[in-house]
Amino acid sequence: MSAPHTPQEDDPDEPIPFMQQLLDNPFLLLFLGVMVPMVVYTLWGVIDILSVPLAR
C-alpha cells in the first residue's frame, strides 16, 4: 500500500501558488493581524465621534 498522494508529487518544478507564498509568511500574517483590527476600530471610532450631535 502506498502513501497518500499529494499534489506536490505531481511535478516538483510546478511553481508555488501566489496565495500560498503570501500566507506562508508569518510576518505578513502578524502585520495583518495587528493592522486590520487597528484600522477597523479607528474607523469605527471616527464614525462614532462624527455621529455625536453638536451641542447647542
Side-chain angles (χ1 to χ4, degrees):
M1 189 175 274
S2 64
H5 181 73
T6 61
Q8 290 295 337
E9 293 174 353
D10 290 343
D11 183 11
D13 297 329
E14 184 177 349
I16 298 174
F18 176 72
M19 282 304 292
Q20 182 176 349
Q21 288 179 347
L22 204 64
L23 294 174
D24 278 344
N25 185 344
F27 294 107
L28 176 68
L29 294 177
L30 175 65
F31 176 77
L32 289 176
V34 170
M35 291 304 293
V36 168
M38 187 181 82
V39 169
V40 168
Y41 284 123
T42 301
L43 288 174
W44 186 4
V46 168
I47 291 169
D48 204 25
I49 289 171
L50 293 176
S51 68
V52 173
L54 293 174
R56 292 182 188 216

